[in-house]
Amino acid sequence: MTENTQQQPPAPTTELPTQYAPAEVEGTLYERWVEKGYFTADATSEKPAYTIVIPPPNVTGSLHLGHAFQHTLMDALTRRKRMQGYESLWLPGMDHAGIATQNKVEQQLAEEGKSRHDLGREEFVSRVWQWKEEYGGKILGQMRRLGDGVDWSRERFTMDEGLSRAVQTIFKKLYDDELIYRAERIINWCPRCLTAISDIEVEYQEDAGELVSIKYGEGEDTLVVATTRAETMLGDTAVAVHPDDERYKHLVGKQIKLPLTDRTIPVVADTHVDPEFGTGAVKVTPAHDPNDFAIGQRHNLPSLTIMDEHGVITVHGPFLGQDRYEARSAVVGALKAQGRIVAEKRPYMHSVGHCSRCKTTVEPRLSMQWWVNVKPLAKAAGDAVRDGRVAIHPADMSKRYFDWVDNMNDWCISRQLWWGHRIPIWYGPDGEVVCVGPDEQPPTGEGWHQDTDVLDTWFSSGLWPFSTLGWPEKTPDLEKFYPTDVLLTGHDIIFFWVARMMMFGLYAMDGEVPFKTIALTGLVRDERGKKMSKSFGNVVDPLDWMDKYGSDAVRFTLAKGANPGTDVPIGEDWVQASRNFANKIWNATRFALMNGATVEGELPPAERLSATDRWILSRLNKTVAQVDTYYDDYQFAKLSEALYHFAWDEVFDWYVELSKTTFMAGGEGAKASGRVLGEVLDVLMRLLHPVMPFVTETLWTTLTGRESIVVADWPTDSGFRDDAAEAEIENLQQVVTEVRRFRADQGLQPGQRVPARLALDGTALAPHEAAIRQLLRLQPEGDGFTATATLPIAGAEVALDLSGTIDVAAERKRLAKDLAAAEKERQQAQAKLGNEAFLAKAPDNVVDKIRTRLAKADEDIARIQSQLDKLPRQ
């Protein structure tokens, strides 16, 4: 363990309130930490840097359990590294969240009976900034409630001046390197948000639709196609079949009649078509389906756009002006009237894409958009993981990462919004296209205008690890804190954010990775493992739990469930249990302070310590080593469990209890144990601090009298081990546990005193007789002592006189009745399992249940018989 190097203020007070009240200390402590500058990193420091940038929450957001979960883990990492002597920077900030924020303000305007078009672009954007200042960033205050140790002096926003400069710089660089281009392609279009969205912003779910089979052509030149989107047939420009499909070879190259229109369309042969699926013929609508668009490109087919941005039909008289769903029914009805529907299937379950923000069904649509050519960028992002420059944790998540970066399509980066980074492209009156960098003047004059689209939100957040540190300028922050050390985030945004940062970081920073480790977490779920959703009614506001149980309890519960890459179930009972743990720490520290626990002076040498003191110090050092191993492997659940069991099971339940007799005896032994107990609590508080910062700060500063645990030294394993003392105390624990179990079996109350004779001479347990008697409520044997039950345990012997405490006859009668019932259960189970006819007919699960019953009956018989054998003979 390390000796703390902070200055020694006056001696600590030993007074603590009788109960821990989180609400009375958390806010005050946090503001004190911020005022003292504990979280402010120094770019000029000679300490090694440790950097984490926060996944920027949306400016529209508020703290939910997922945030609380990931923030707890990031805070734990940075607090520990700060204590280990690193210049630890946890950089906060927010994302402007283009679509979500614009929607918020448009909803406000709708309540006023206005739209953004009534205001115009400039006034609307000004209104969004006003909204951001008034309502945005609510989550930042909530982060303080959680105890996030972020450097508020470096807080960033994806549309602040510096980050906007970074966006314009990298756009210009990509454009000049011909990695950004403009092209007309099929995109995912949201008719509600009225913008393109990327592939990863589309959520697929099984919807109940209809599958209709339609006859195309006339006479002998007919074929049947099936579709779930009948309205799109109005934009068909071909029917495709496989070139080797003998059924349709005579039609390839011919023109056939397109129903409900006055057009004919060709039959083309394309290997994309699966001849085994359906009729082997597919309709081709290049302007409204990505696969059809590809077929259209290969066969030079025209692309007919039949819907506007609202999903309203724009062609073909009778359907003109109809919504896409209204048109679907109308088209099917019209085809039925012509006898063109040859089959219908309702409901037909199929996968349908929805906008991840508003849940509207996405419409594939041909559109002119801006794109990033991701192929060279994605290859670099894959190589950085393959060659070990970036580690993904847990390692088995690497496959998901490679599946994405190795097969990434070009990225559509333009959005038809007004809130966001406007695309820095100007168009001239004669078709000129100019990309303008941050230090360049845009062209002026008649006919020049800027592109009206803005960039995808993920474009700016993809720059986050270096733009927040001052790039494109060569700032001291960038030199000191880049590359960052760990990106800790949910496995669900590998595609959204992680891959984007990898591509942009490697590109902008000359091949230097944006982070050394990607630590992926699971998602928070309810106690039954169900996804949290407003529709399920199981969403929890973590602030409610913080108000009720304290922030430490919420944090510890989340960390205790954080196994790498796996989802985290959480329920209120578990938070309550963590609150009980905090109270236990509080009460144990109060006991320690009242009994002279201290951190002053050196620890006594091992030869002057009792076996109990040497045991707890040995266990303490092993725990320090174990916790360090788990931290370095991002095993938050395991390190939390290790600390919980060491604190509760070993320190509080055993060491504190065993020390009571030492403290009552006084003298040098009590003084030594007071120093040992002070050491144990000092180190334990420092180990717990990164996960439970508030209660540990309060207790540690009271115990030590030092400035703050936030800037205390992280404990180190001194190497002290005492296997003999550990074995000795394990034997003591065995004696106490076995006798407690026997007492419980006999129906004795925990506090009921029982006369006992302890035969400990010649064993290592002899010095512990007083402690054993205290823990087990055992009186001296006295006159007339009769050993009615004798328990040989761990080389010792405990003889108990139960004659005055239980009615032996009644107890024998009760146990005999229980034994008879267990034996009857065993006989019945054995009879069934011995019946060949029964076994031949009974299902496997029934047979398994009977085998389980038999095993349980055997256990019960052994247990009851053991209790009978230990009762005194009459």
Side-chain angles (χ1 to χ4, degrees), residues 832 835-844 847:
K832 285 190 176 181
N835 185 335
E836 295 295 335
F838 168 77
L839 293 176
K841 294 179 182 178
D844 289 345
V847 175

Side-chain angles (χ1 to χ4, degrees), residues 656-833:
V656 167
E657 293 300 317
L658 289 168
S659 297
K660 286 180 180 178
T661 53
T662 306
F663 289 135
M664 284 189 289
E668 287 301 313
K671 187 176 178 181
S673 289
R675 180 63 187 90
V676 169
L677 181 53
E679 178 78 6
V680 170
L681 290 176
D682 169 20
V683 173
L684 177 60
M685 295 305 165
R686 286 186 274 152
L687 290 173
L688 280 167
H689 173 72
V691 177
M692 302 180 78
F694 295 108
V695 69
T696 53
E697 171 80 334
T698 306
L699 295 175
W700 189 84
T701 52
T702 303
L703 173 69
T704 66
R706 294 175 182 138
E707 180 186 347
S708 174
I709 197 171
V710 178
V711 288
D713 291 335
W714 181 253
T716 56
D717 176 9
S718 71
F720 178 78
R721 300 289 188 275
D722 193 324
D723 293 339
E726 289 196 41
E728 185 173 323
I729 301 304
E730 282 173 15
N731 285 339
L732 182 152
Q733 291 170 327
Q734 187 180 351
V735 169
V736 173
T737 302
E738 290 294 325
V739 175
R740 280 177 175 167
R741 184 179 296 121
F742 174 74
R743 287 174 56 112
D745 288 343
Q746 306 309 316
L748 296 177
Q749 295 301 313
Q752 191 171 351
R753 294 198 167 273
V754 178
R757 177 190 300 134
L758 273 61
L760 305 178
D761 292 345
T763 74
L765 295 175
H768 303 288
E769 179 167 351
I772 293 172
R773 286 188 177 277
Q774 175 67 24
L775 290 170
L776 290 171
R777 304 293 189 269
L778 301 180
Q779 297 176 182
E781 52 194 279
D783 296 333
F785 176 84
T786 302
T788 57
T790 302
L791 309 175
I793 311 166
E797 191 173 87
V798 179
L800 303 174
D801 182 355
L802 304 178
S803 57
T805 57
I806 62 171
D807 185 335
V808 175
E811 185 65 11
R812 278 193 170 278
K813 187 175 181 181
R814 182 184 71 80
L815 290 172
K817 184 177 178 182
D818 291 346
L819 183 61
E823 288 174 339
K824 183 178 179 182
E825 175 73 4
R826 178 168 67 178
Q827 289 169 2
Q828 290 175 342
Q830 286 175 332
K832 285 190 176 181
L833 293 173

Side-chain angles (χ1 to χ4, degrees), residues 176-322:
D176 289 347
D177 287 346
E178 298 183 349
L179 292 172
I180 281 183
Y181 63 94
R182 193 170 185 238
E184 189 175 45
R185 291 187 180 175
I186 291 285
I187 48 91
N188 303 295
W189 181 265
C190 176
R192 160 65 184 79
C193 298
L194 296 179
T195 182
I197 58 177
S198 64
D199 292 345
I200 53 178
E201 294 169 300
V202 178
E203 294 178 349
Y204 288 90
Q205 66 184 47
E206 290 293 309
D207 285 358
E210 62 176 351
L211 181 68
V212 294
S213 298
I214 309 167
K215 183 171 68 175
Y216 281 28
E218 302 287 355
E220 294 183 0
D221 294 343
T222 63
L223 35 67
V224 174
V225 300
T227 181
T228 58
R229 301 165 67 221
E231 71 282 4
T232 63
M233 67 157 293
L234 302 174
D236 285 358
T237 57
V239 173
V241 298
H242 194 277
D244 298 333
D245 195 331
E246 294 294 334
R247 294 171 294 176
Y248 302 120
K249 276 196 171 180
H250 67 289
L251 291 176
V252 173
K254 286 190 175 183
Q255 296 280 327
I256 62 170
K257 181 77 167 61
L258 178 65
L260 306 184
T261 73
D262 57 2
R263 293 191 292 119
T264 61
I265 57 176
V267 178
V268 299
D270 195 281
T271 54
H272 170 76
V273 180
D274 181 359
E276 303 298 322
F277 184 78
T279 64
V282 297
K283 59 191 287 301
V284 182
T285 321
H288 294 277
D289 183 273
N291 292 322
D292 294 3
F293 178 77
I295 293 174
Q297 293 287 96
R298 287 193 289 271
H299 297 277
N300 296 314
L301 300 174
S303 297
L304 301 181
T305 299
I306 62 157
M307 286 182 221
D308 66 13
E309 63 269 25
H310 297 279
V312 173
I313 301 298
T314 57
V315 296
H316 296 291
F319 312 109
L320 183 65
Q322 291 183 349

Side-chain angles (χ1 to χ4, degrees), residues 410-435:
D410 281 2
W411 174 17
C412 176
I413 55 170
S414 45
R415 298 291 181 268
Q416 289 64 55
L417 303 170
W418 287 356
W419 172 245
H421 295 101
R422 196 161 172 185
I423 289 176
I425 294 287
W426 269 256
Y427 303 104
D430 298 317
E432 302 97 331
V433 178
V434 176
C435 181

